[in-house]
Amino acid sequence: MLFKQQPLLRQKLFVLGSLAIGSLLYLVARVGSLDRLQPLCPIDGRFGPRGQDEIPLRALQFKRGLLHEFRKGNATKEQIRLHNLVQQLPKAIIIGVRKGGTRALLEMLNLHPAVVKASQEIHFFDNDENYAKGIEWYRKKMPFSYPHQITIEKSPAYFITEEVPERIYKMNSSIKLLIIVREPTTRAISDYTQVLEGKERKNKTYYKFEKLAIDPNTCEVNTKYKAVRTSIYTKHLERWLKYFPIEQFHIVDGDRLITEPLPELQLVEKFLNLPPRISQYNLYFNATRGFYCLRFNIVFNKCLAGSKGRIHPEVDTSVITKLRKFFHPFNQKFYQITGRTFNWP
Ligand code: A3P
């Protein structure tokens, strides 16, 4: 009899087990979403030396889930008022460099509970039409945040656009500026790859990288080619230094952000006077993508879009050597100015 009932018993146990696991998962998700609405932990107080330019962090205990709802436009004016949400000008800007890993840096910093990212590139300071709309237009483009969180935006075109340093200076002369760089030749090829993909999408043909990067008349590096010019980091940085002291910049190693993101993020937290909150838990390596992805909590994680991490075309080794030789003196100067040395060839 007992023998006959065993499959039924097993079936019942299976159903009960599934229900228990389901309820547990629901509770975990529910607690996660409640976290976002309520203070997570007691106020952490101050971290690091208290300086004039220190970013206040009293709202660290809040999580971002609620903000997400507001950003989706689901909030009423009453809710915004009730939660004391504001649209703040950025306290830090990722000014470049294009293809340096600007998106990865922004998304990873956004893991920090005191950071709120502007999802889109705003292009306020580099686009004359946008700039003419005024600073209030810019502020209104910012996401809602709690007053003591900091807003960060990224627009990589800022780094190379002539007028931008002066314009940012006029908005906030003590703003913190983040520049993420990669080995210049690799960055130039990545830049080319992005443009190439755009052309292919429109069924257009395009030149080979070698043809663009090397001047066929002189056989020298073509400094008129934008992808080459952008990689001369020191030239651009020198323009910025007319307005901002070097202490207001932090250089992120974009190559290391790919292979070992946490230490790079910890350096940024320090630079921004944020308490260390991003941990290894927040970053996991996804073998399929070949990159680190982001884990916000037990239920929510994400990888960057497929447009990040493209396969680069193969480039003639003599061209690579020529480019590396060309960038070498500029790199040395860049190390000297920034005080950060990279193992670039
Ligand atoms: P590639 O496409 O050349 O590999 P940007 O966001 O400034 O356009 O930079 C894009 C680059 O970010 C990518 O260049 C990729 O290598 C790099 N990157 C760094 N960390 C990444 C991550 N976790 N996921 C995807 N791409 C990442």
Side-chain angles (χ1 to χ4, degrees), residues 195-239:
V195 178
L196 175 71
E197 196 186 281
K199 302 272 181 198
E200 279 171 353
R201 222 181 301 123
K202 291 178 196 157
N203 273 331
K204 287 185 178 168
T205 52
Y206 196 45
Y207 303 106
K208 283 190 82 175
F209 176 79
E210 290 84 340
K211 190 145 190 231
L212 296 165
I214 305 294
D215 182 333
N217 299 318
T218 61
C219 283
E220 293 301 323
V221 170
N222 179 9
T223 50
K224 290 199 184 92
Y225 178 40
K226 197 173 165 194
V228 166
R229 278 211 319 273
T230 303
S231 283
I232 310 176
Y233 305 139
T234 185
K235 286 273 174 228
H236 301 288
L237 183 61
E238 279 166 36
R239 262 188 309 102

Side-chain angles (χ1 to χ4, degrees), residues 103-163:
R103 173 58 60 186
L105 179 60
L106 182 72
E107 296 294 333
M108 288 174 181
L109 288 178
N110 192 51
L111 288 162
H112 196 291
V115 171
V116 180
K117 63 163 185 182
S119 295
Q120 307 293 320
E121 291 180 11
I122 318 276
H123 288 281
F124 177 62
F125 298 103
D126 63 304
N127 180 314
D128 290 344
E129 220 173 278
N130 288 342
Y131 191 64
K133 291 175 185 159
I135 203 81
E136 263 310 286
W137 177 88
Y138 182 51
R139 199 181 58 78
K140 288 269 169 62
K141 290 276 170 200
M142 294 300 153
F144 282 100
S145 60
Y146 295 104
H148 296 95
Q149 288 180 310
I150 63 164
T151 303
I152 301 188
E153 84 125 327
K154 77 119 180 161
S155 293
Y158 290 168
F159 186 58
I160 57 159
T161 309
E162 216 45 60
E163 300 81 4

Side-chain angles (χ1 to χ4, degrees), residues 97-105 108 121 154 156 180 182 186-187 189-191 193-194 254 257-259 261 289 291-294 303-312:
V97 178
R98 176 182 151 96
K99 303 322 292 173
T102 53
R103 173 58 60 186
L105 179 60
M108 288 174 181
E121 291 180 11
K154 77 119 180 161
I180 179 163
R182 271 165 96 187
T186 312
R187 196 221 64 82
I189 296 171
S190 173
D191 198 330
T193 310
Q194 170 155 315
L257 194 83
I258 296 175
T259 56
R289 283 286 282 118
F291 284 98
Y292 275 89
C293 296
L294 287 64
C303 296
L304 262 60
S307 60
K308 304 293 172 186
R310 297 184 177 100
I311 295 166
H312 297 179

